[in-house]
Amino acid sequence: MQNTTVGVFALQGDVREHLAALDAVGVKTLTVRRPEELARCDGLVIPGGESTTMGKLARIFELLEPLRERIAGGMPTFGTCAGMIMLADRVLDGTADQETIGGLDITVRRNAFGRQVDSFEAPLEFRGLDDPVPAVFIRAPWVEAVGADVEVLARVEGGEAHGRIVAVRQGTLMATSFHPEVGGDARVHRLFVDLVRSA
Ligand code: GLN
């Protein structure tokens, strides 16, 4: 499929970095702020940013229900950091009124790594990739529990968070706690684009 179009949810978050990573992989990209734009996408990336704000804006801009419908309909979607939270069915340490899109049968804990380790970088073994990915974490969530259909793609190695799940896949949905769009390594985006192309 030559004309695969991957959108980036663009009401809030680090949109530009994802557009660049997707460009590097060689797909057509589109910023998504309204339902008409979502309708043109074969796949979607939900970036890092602030999940509570994303939820509010998605509701205000009438994108929340269309997103839920497309995802339920099988549109491949990749959430990074706040984007992972947006895809999660269950959120711990969220705000009382926090709304997510949902679809991924996972429980995430927001800002899970604590204040001392606000942000850090670590090489991670990633299922499906030969060499570790350089993973940048910024006030990141981790996945505290996964449903039976969820495949774990990466875990933290070493330190206090050893063994915590930080990348998952369930059918056409993918999510990482970290920011694969930062650091010039597009292999995780390529995995996602392969998923879009095969869907
Ligand atoms: N802590 C943010 C949230 O809860 C996520 C941080 C990020 O995306 N870099 O939404």
Side-chain angles (χ1 to χ4, degrees):
M1 228 203 300
Q2 207 58 23
N3 284 322
T4 303
T5 300
V6 176
V8 180
F9 174 93
L11 291 175
Q12 203 266 332
D14 61 340
V15 175
R16 241 188 330 159
E17 292 83 350
H18 277 290
L19 292 172
L22 291 166
D23 271 346
V25 176
V27 277
K28 242 178 103 187
T29 58
L30 177 69
T31 51
V32 174
R33 294 188 186 82
R34 26 176 123 238
E36 306 83 77
E37 290 156 350
L38 181 63
R40 286 160 52 200
C41 297
D42 303 303
L44 182 74
V45 172
I46 305 177
E50 175 48 56
S51 58
T52 55
T53 309
M54 282 181 183
K56 281 184 192 141
L57 291 175
R59 156 96 37 222
I60 292 167
F61 284 81
E62 296 180 347
L63 211 50
L64 206 51
E65 292 312 326
L67 282 166
R68 286 177 178 152
E69 278 164 29
R70 283 301 307 276
I71 286 171
M75 176 182 66
T77 305
F78 176 26
T80 64
C81 202
M84 170 189 260
I85 299 169
M86 290 302 290
L87 287 178
D89 281 342
R90 294 166 299 278
V91 180
L92 302 174
D93 294 337
T95 57
D97 60 349
Q98 180 152 10
E99 275 195 288
T100 71
I101 301 162
L104 252 185
D105 186 11
I106 59 173
T107 304
V108 295
R109 185 175 294 281
R110 287 179 70 218
N111 305 321
F113 291 89
R115 265 216 247 139
Q116 292 83 344
V117 280
D118 224 26
S119 44
F120 63 100
E121 191 177 335
L124 283 187
E125 294 288 342
F126 198 99
R127 194 159 180 177
L129 298 176
D130 290 338
D131 300 310
V133 289
V136 176
F137 293 82
I138 306 166
R139 273 175 231 98
W142 66 41
V143 179
E144 206 144 304
V146 298
D149 296 335
V150 177
E151 181 188 1
V152 173
L153 301 178
R155 293 176 187 267
V156 174
E157 288 155 54
E160 279 178 39
H162 181 76
R164 290 293 182 182
I165 299 167
V166 289
V168 293
R169 178 186 159 189
Q170 180 187 349
T172 52
L173 302 182
M174 236 175 98
T176 61
S177 301
F178 57 90
H179 293 264
E181 73 282 13
V182 180
D185 184 331
R187 286 177 297 155
V188 177
H189 284 78
R190 182 162 291 122
L191 283 182
F192 175 62
V193 168
D194 287 346
L195 196 64
V196 179
R197 288 189 166 133
S198 65

